[in-house]
Amino acid sequence: MPRRGCAHALAAGVEWFRRVAGRAVCSGRAVIGGGLSATGGSGLLIGALLAVCAVGPALSAAPLTSGPQGVQGSRNALVIAGSGTMSPLVKAIAERFRERRPDVVVDVRPRGSDRGLQALRDAQADIAMFSRALPEGETDLVGVPIARDGVSLVLHRDNPVRNLSSGQISAIYRGRIGNWRAVGGEDRPIRILASEQGRSSSELFARHFGIDYAAVPAANILTDNRQRLQAVAGDRGAIVFMSIGEAERAVEAGQPVRLVAVDGIDASSRSVRKGDFPIARPLTLVTRGLPRGLAREFIEFAMSSSVTGLIRQLDFVPYVD
């Protein structure tokens, strides 16, 4: 990036990161172009601003933009598309945001993380919801995690299996173990209920266990968390992975499902909060370039302590206490 362009990006970046990341990320992380910073305000600020300079032509081509003007072209509207896991949280944040900005319309569209990024790139969304860290090489994107979540295995409540090792999970999803009796359960076939390939939870799960997700011997492919919960609630032989937050809410609502420990570590939001649970991810709001205007105002609000209670209420783990 030429020096003048870099100086322009730095000037814009200093203002925003000092106001937001330098304050809030003392308890969390900020992401730029796929990089996940170490915790800490000053180190984050320096690393973030260096990353802005490193983006080069990508930010020069579309600097400091947040996508379209919003719903029906209104400047008082935001379109936020992406992760289905994040959708209930972002909708709740949007409702609270509108208490201070009743003139604003926020349209939250659950489409899946990758489709949310595509909508952002196609100027069909102002902000994308992305339920994992940004991939390396996404240098034109700026992402800010607003909460943390884990991906857990969920069984029917009457399945006696309480814990699975990483080796057992890998063997199940590779088709090498096909009966619950092999892992201490009943003599019953294991039915894998899988999510669509390309979903953020699928990619995180497959990467963690070293699985070729396309080769998973799934009994059924289910598109969203609600369908997966309904399916496992009606099948004592089923196994499914999904958001810990979503699964905990289902248990609290009385659905006959149960989260399974992994390598002896409880699958719970508390384990994610403590940093113990091995399959965890950030819930990230993403813009093209540094956010501006209403998009930046919304993201700042979503990073603030004003929404900490909402995050906990939905069984996710806040970055800011």
Side-chain angles (χ1 to χ4, degrees), residues 22 25 37-50:
V25 183
S37 84
T39 303
S42 60
L44 166 72
L45 180 59
I46 293 170
L49 296 179
L50 289 175

Side-chain angles (χ1 to χ4, degrees), residues 66-68 70-71 77-88 90-91 94 106-131 134 141 199-200 283-288 295 298-299:
S66 60
V71 179
L78 282 174
V79 175
I80 305 176
S83 166
T85 292
M86 291 182 65
S87 177
V90 174
K91 285 180 179 178
V106 181
D107 183 5
V108 180
R109 303 175 182 177
R111 296 179 174 178
S113 290
D114 288 341
R115 291 175 183 172
L117 280 193
Q118 191 58 52
L120 187 66
R121 294 191 184 285
D122 293 342
Q124 298 301 309
D126 301 282
I127 299 171
M129 299 176 288
F130 200 69
S131 52
L134 284 174
L141 303 178
R199 293 269 180 171
S200 59
L283 303 182
T284 308
L285 295 179
V286 183
T287 57
R288 290 191 64 190
F298 182 85
I299 290 173

Side-chain angles (χ1 to χ4, degrees), residues 33-311:
L36 186 61
S37 84
T39 303
S42 60
L44 166 72
L45 180 59
I46 293 170
L49 296 179
L50 289 175
V52 170
C53 278
V55 227
L59 277 183
S60 298
L64 308 178
T65 181
S66 60
Q69 292 181 349
V71 179
Q72 299 177 350
S74 168
R75 293 186 181 277
N76 286 334
L78 282 174
V79 175
I80 305 176
S83 166
T85 292
M86 291 182 65
S87 177
L89 173 60
V90 174
K91 285 180 179 178
I93 292 173
E95 290 176 6
R96 184 162 294 181
F97 180 72
R98 291 193 69 247
E99 292 176 4
R100 62 165 62 183
R101 287 294 307 272
D103 57 313
V104 171
V105 175
V106 181
D107 183 5
V108 180
R109 303 175 182 177
R111 296 179 174 178
S113 290
D114 288 341
R115 291 175 183 172
L117 280 193
Q118 191 58 52
L120 187 66
R121 294 191 184 285
D122 293 342
Q124 298 301 309
D126 301 282
I127 299 171
M129 299 176 288
F130 200 69
S131 52
R132 61 183 187 271
L134 284 174
E136 294 295 336
E138 300 286 357
T139 52
D140 59 332
L141 303 178
V142 175
V144 177
I146 59 171
R148 289 166 287 175
D149 186 27
V151 173
S152 63
L153 287 160
V154 179
L155 310 180
H156 190 279
R157 183 173 57 200
D158 295 335
N159 189 321
V161 174
R162 295 291 186 270
N163 175 74
L164 289 169
S165 70
S166 292
Q168 289 171 331
I169 294 167
S170 179
I172 289 170
Y173 278 83
R174 292 173 188 270
R176 296 173 184 170
I177 293 178
N179 193 294
W180 285 110
R181 183 171 57 184
V183 292
E186 302 170 325
D187 184 7
R188 185 185 300 273
I190 297 174
R191 283 175 43 83
I192 298 174
L193 306 177
S195 65
E196 294 175 300
Q197 189 171 3
R199 293 269 180 171
S200 59
S201 57
S202 305
E203 292 189 6
L204 177 63
F205 186 87
R207 185 169 61 250
H208 181 83
F209 292 106
I211 297 166
D212 177 5
Y213 197 74
V216 170
N220 203 353
I221 304 294
L222 302 172
T223 57
D224 59 37
N225 289 328
R226 179 183 56 81
Q227 289 181 329
R228 279 173 259 172
L229 282 167
Q230 288 178 344
V232 77
D235 188 345
R236 286 181 61 172
I239 184 171
V240 68
F241 61 82
M242 61 183 303
S243 155
I244 283 181
E246 292 268 7
E248 286 184 326
R249 287 196 296 278
V251 171
E252 291 167 4
Q255 294 194 45
V257 298
R258 183 166 41 75
L259 290 76
V260 181
V262 176
D263 293 326
I265 302 171
D266 287 339
S268 66
S269 54
R270 180 179 181 182
S271 294
V272 174
R273 184 178 300 111
K274 292 168 61 180
D276 293 338
F277 195 71
I279 320 170
R281 58 183 175 172
L283 303 182
T284 308
L285 295 179
V286 183
T287 57
R288 290 191 64 190
L290 293 172
R292 296 187 70 184
L294 189 58
R296 186 173 76 176
E297 185 179 348
F298 182 85
I299 290 173
E300 288 179 353
F301 182 75
M303 292 178 70
S304 73
S305 58
S306 298
V307 302
T308 299
L310 292 177
I311 293 171

